[in-house]
Amino acid sequence: MAEVPPMIDAVLRQAVIALACDAARDILAVYSDDFDVERKSDASPLTEADLASHRRIVDGLARLTPDIPVLSEEAEHSVAPHVRRAWQRLWIVDPLDGTREFVKRNSEFSVNIALVEDGVSTWGVIQAPVSGAVWHGGAGCGAHRREGRDGSDNALRIRAPAAHPLRVAASRSHRDGRSEAFIEAMRADGEVTQLNLGSSLKFCRIAEGGLDLYPRFGPTCEWDTAAGQAILEGAGGQVVDPRGRPLRYNVRDTLLNGDFIALGDPAQPWRGWSDAAQRALMQ
């Protein structure tokens, strides 16, 4: 598992965390008022909060690390795949993860910023604008939660060994048959508690031991998972595809992820649940 690169020192980490908090303030300025909702080409929602956060983060990262390019959801088509794939190091940003939840005003949305090196998400920060909580970390520096911009850091660790009742996350706005079948296979093995939650906050809850896993068999993009994967790995967890391989970033022409399972305790028998779900769907 990749170490955090030397250039991500404590000073830069704190600067990027502060930038995420600034973007959250921009989001809340829109959230507290009436706002219009547009639709992108894929029918997903877009608001002024997405754009304000995008501008804040892209401009801020350009000042902090002018030599590192930025891939943001709100500028995904501005760089050709063959150009960005040549980037050894880049920031991957979701300025407002969970826009559907933002529109519903249910507070389950976040700001996501991740550093990717050679396809590996080495460090990330997730900020929840409504609560002010900040999660940050990576495989080389652990994972931490901070209450508000100026709070102290508390170290995070996944729950291991995972024990019944297992606590599984499901997407609030994106549901699919394979994920539902996976959760039913878990229930066949013992008691399960299911929590529906929006955005990348699911990764944070697993990292802090409040959930055990999150199966996702449906479309997500790299900015949906990069920061969460770094934080979860820093806390001792994993984000793997159905073959057990960690998710990688900026290594293909597409920015869509394949299916994945985010795990707290990696020893959970997730492969058996995945196989059982597949058999159930074929019947």
Side-chain angles (χ1 to χ4, degrees):
M1 196 170 290
E3 294 285 331
V4 173
M7 56 82 62
I8 297 298
D9 58 16
V11 173
L12 182 55
R13 289 199 296 268
Q14 297 310 315
V16 177
I17 290 170
L19 182 59
C21 293
D22 289 341
R25 188 171 61 245
D26 294 338
I27 289 170
L28 290 177
V30 179
Y31 191 62
S32 63
D33 204 350
D34 294 331
F35 54 84
D36 295 326
V37 180
E38 302 177 14
R39 294 288 167 178
K40 301 180 188 179
S41 58
D42 63 356
S44 61
L46 176 70
T47 71
E48 176 54 34
D50 297 83
L51 299 176
S53 178
H54 163 79
R55 291 189 292 266
R56 173 77 68 175
I57 294 170
V58 170
D59 291 348
L61 290 175
R63 291 192 300 272
L64 291 171
T65 56
D67 58 329
I68 302 179
V70 180
L71 177 63
S72 170
E73 178 181 8
E74 304 314 332
E76 60 176 299
H77 301 299
S78 63
V79 181
H82 74 277
V83 174
R84 64 168 172 76
R85 286 184 62 187
W87 298 341
Q88 181 182 18
R89 172 186 283 162
L90 72 154
W91 296 103
I92 293 184
V93 174
D94 193 337
L96 177 49
D97 183 29
T99 303
R100 287 180 173 84
E101 315 311 326
F102 177 87
V103 171
K104 296 173 186 175
R105 297 182 185 273
N106 69 5
S107 80
E108 295 175 3
F109 50 89
S110 63
V111 175
N112 302 350
I113 304 174
L115 179 70
V116 168
E117 280 210 307
D118 294 325
V120 177
S121 182
T122 55
W123 182 82
V125 56
I126 294 174
Q127 204 276 0
V130 173
S131 70
V134 178
W135 297 264
H136 61 95
C141 60
H144 300 82
R145 175 173 173 153
R146 179 181 304 178
E147 299 304 325
R149 181 171 187 149
D150 300 319
S152 58
D153 284 343
N154 294 305
L156 302 179
R157 195 68 186 169
I158 52 90
R159 185 174 76 144
H164 291 288
L166 292 175
R167 299 164 298 183
V168 59
S171 175
R172 173 80 71 184
S173 297
H174 303 275
R175 309 298 286 271
D176 65 274
R178 179 84 183 272
S179 296
E180 295 296 331
F182 185 101
I183 295 172
E184 287 305 311
M186 290 179 61
R187 289 195 174 100
D189 274 355
E191 186 179 355
V192 172
T193 299
Q194 180 174 332
L195 175 67
N196 299 326
L197 186 64
S199 75
S200 59
L201 298 176
K202 294 181 283 293
F203 295 95
C204 301
R205 291 291 296 274
I206 299 172
E208 61 190 19
L211 290 168
D212 294 303
L213 73 163
Y214 164 42
R216 181 60 186 266
F217 299 94
T220 60
C221 290
E222 294 189 358
W223 43 75
D224 296 317
T225 60
Q229 180 170 355
I231 294 166
L232 183 51
E233 289 180 350
Q238 294 180 346
V239 181
V240 296
D241 70 13
R243 295 174 61 184
R245 302 171 300 185
L247 293 192
R248 289 177 58 80
Y249 298 91
N250 195 40
V251 295
R252 298 166 297 153
D253 286 346
T254 181
L255 290 167
L256 292 174
N257 293 318
D259 299 337
F260 67 85
I261 301 97
L263 297 162
D265 179 4
Q268 294 176 83
W270 62 270
R271 293 178 187 269
W273 298 328
S274 181
D275 291 344
Q278 182 64 29
R279 290 194 297 270
L281 291 174
M282 293 175 63
Q283 292 177 356

